[in-house]
Amino acid sequence: MNISASVTSKQLMELLLNIAIIRPVFIWGPPGIGKSSLVQQFADMVGLPCVSLLGSQLAPEDLIGVPQIVDGKSRFCPPDMIAKSEPYCLFLDELNACSHEVQKAFYSLILEKRIGDYRLPAGSVVIGAGNRAQDSAIVKPLSSALINRMFHVQLKVSHREWLEWAYANDIHPFVVNYIETRPDHLWVQPPKHEEPFSTPRAWHMLSDALKEYGEQLSPGILDILAAGCLSPHHAGQFKAFYKQTQSKYRLHAILEGETGWPREPQDRDVLYFLAQSFRAHLLKELPPAKEGLSGRNQQLIHRAKGLIKDLSAISLEIAQLAVSESESGESLPDWFLVEIVRDLPRLVQRRKEG
């Protein structure tokens, strides 16, 4: 499904409140970003019970029901979970994972809110959701007839909105603090091969596991928990973050000049994590154009150039990482890189060679 615009969770909620009450809505998005929980939240907001059907587990008879003889005529009786007497929110999860026969069974339900002789009670809402073909999920092409019966929207991840939710829902402090430091690690595109990958749902799982272990948490256990939920690279970085929280090294303290980069070989993983966090901080704070610099920015630039110089003396490779593109393809402003070229030509030369 090609949709040029994407929405955050807050924008989606506003769309559902205005559109879903009059037209069926289909929510597209990768696994683990909260589609199902947002539909449940919407249903709670409008005061409707939510009935979820999983498209990948449905057969046509699960919708149209079984025939019954009434006054000498056959009549299909829809299942009890659909044939409600009061209005409700019908959530068709993984709708694009069901067979084409099941998709056809949904035609009248989605367009007319009807199955055979049964009609959904007035005020009922129908919402569908599914993963995209590029998500390495079980999906089947939706028929054009079904596509044209719904309003389509693509959900994207917003780390700011997720952090608001995390604070309100008692997510483990290690997870919250890590995502505040590395918001680009909240979600990654699902890999083409079988391995855990980072999503808001995966971080939530990790939070639950960390809270269950409580004070019994050790570096070895944390390594196992992170590796079981997150992308391998993120799991390694989270382990380094945990190690860093137990040590004297903090990015804020380094930026403020209260301490320097860790130099010991056994702290190389912590140095690697701090360098990436440093780059993420610069990406967040430095404006695209030099004309937009504030006094606070000027102080940060002066300190940043000194820190990159110190970092290159410890490890030219990690210093090169600090000025390279991020995993999401973001680059430090060109004007800042020009100053780095002027002050640290050896670092930039190494960067070009890499």
Side-chain angles (χ1 to χ4, degrees):
M1 171 60 69
N2 295 317
I3 303 176
S4 59
S6 299
V7 300
T8 66
S9 56
K10 287 184 178 179
Q11 292 171 325
L12 173 63
M13 198 59 59
E14 184 178 346
L15 279 169
L16 292 177
L17 289 170
N18 285 278
I19 297 174
I21 57 175
I22 56 171
R23 290 288 183 179
V25 174
F26 191 99
I27 306 167
W28 296 85
I33 65 170
K35 298 186 294 295
S36 302
S37 59
L38 286 170
V39 172
Q40 181 63 62
Q41 182 181 339
F42 161 77
D44 293 340
M45 288 179 67
V46 297
L48 293 176
C50 186
V51 175
S52 296
L53 300 181
L54 203 58
S56 58
Q57 299 178 5
L58 291 176
E61 56 269 23
D62 295 325
L63 298 175
I64 62 178
V66 294
Q68 184 180 27
I69 304 300
V70 179
D71 297 329
K73 299 178 182 179
S74 64
R75 176 181 178 182
F76 281 89
C77 301
D80 183 63
M81 61 181 175
I82 293 179
K84 307 289 186 182
S85 58
E86 299 293 331
Y88 67 99
C89 174
L90 178 59
F91 179 42
L92 309 176
D93 200 4
E94 297 184 10
L95 176 57
N96 59 336
C98 62
S99 68
H100 287 154
E101 290 301 314
V102 175
Q103 288 187 28
K104 287 191 292 184
F106 276 124
Y107 282 6
S108 60
L109 176 61
I110 289 175
L111 183 62
E112 302 170 351
K113 297 182 180 178
R114 174 182 61 82
I115 298 178
D117 293 331
Y118 170 77
R119 289 185 179 273
L120 271 63
S124 295
V125 171
V126 178
I127 300 175
N131 303 134
R132 307 162 305 175
Q134 64 264 38
D135 295 323
S136 301
I138 300 175
V139 296
K140 295 180 175 64
L142 286 180
S143 70
S144 58
L146 195 53
I147 289 174
N148 199 237
R149 281 167 160 78
M150 294 177 287
F151 176 88
H152 297 268
V153 62
Q154 181 163 273
L155 181 63
K156 65 180 179 182
V157 176
S158 165
H159 71 270
R160 292 183 179 86
E161 292 183 9
W162 187 86
L163 284 169
E164 288 180 20
W165 173 87
Y167 275 112
N169 287 271
D170 194 32
I171 297 300
H172 196 284
F174 285 169
V175 170
V176 173
N177 293 339
Y178 182 84
I179 296 301
E180 284 180 327
T181 304
R182 295 305 309 269
D184 53 320
H185 285 189
L186 178 59
W187 174 82
V188 295
Q189 181 69 34
K192 300 300 181 183
H193 44 280
E194 295 176 327
E195 67 179 24
F197 60 99
S198 303
T199 65
R201 178 165 59 201
W203 286 107
H204 194 179
M205 285 192 295
L206 178 59
S207 170
D208 289 344
L210 292 171
K211 287 196 286 187
E212 285 300 314
Y213 270 90
E215 295 182 359
Q216 301 177 37
L217 186 67
S218 66
I221 292 296
L222 181 133
D223 191 18
I224 294 170
L225 298 181
C229 299
L230 309 176
S231 302
H233 173 64
H234 295 175
Q237 288 289 281
F238 187 77
K239 181 183 177 182
F241 168 78
Y242 173 77
K243 183 179 177 181
Q244 175 242 318
T245 63
Q246 310 305 306
S247 71
K248 64 179 180 180
Y249 299 106
R250 305 282 192 282
L251 180 60
H252 176 75
I254 294 172
L255 289 169
E256 294 297 321
E258 298 169 7
T259 186
W261 300 110
R263 292 176 174 271
E264 299 300 322
Q266 63 268 25
D267 291 328
R268 194 49 53 97
D269 56 345
V270 175
L271 180 63
Y272 184 80
F273 171 77
L274 287 169
Q276 288 199 316
S277 301
F278 175 57
R279 177 183 60 191
H281 181 76
L282 293 179
L283 285 169
K284 178 182 176 183
E285 295 295 330
L286 297 181
K290 194 172 183 178
E291 292 73 24
L293 291 176
S294 64
R296 180 168 169 267
N297 291 145
Q298 294 283 5
Q299 292 178 349
L300 175 60
I301 293 165
H302 178 74
R303 180 62 180 157
K305 288 192 289 187
L307 287 173
I308 293 172
K309 183 177 180 180
D310 293 343
L311 188 58
S312 64
I314 301 171
S315 170
L316 196 60
E317 180 182 0
I318 295 181
Q320 184 266 334
L321 170 72
V323 297
S324 64
E325 282 190 354
S326 68
E327 295 172 27
S328 59
E330 293 180 287
S331 297
L332 294 172
D334 289 341
W335 60 264
F336 180 73
L337 292 177
V338 168
E339 296 196 15
I340 297 298
V341 170
R342 182 189 65 201
D343 296 345
L344 295 168
R346 188 168 70 99
L347 174 63
V348 177
Q349 181 62 33
R350 176 67 176 269
R351 182 171 174 261
K352 289 179 179 178
E353 292 172 357

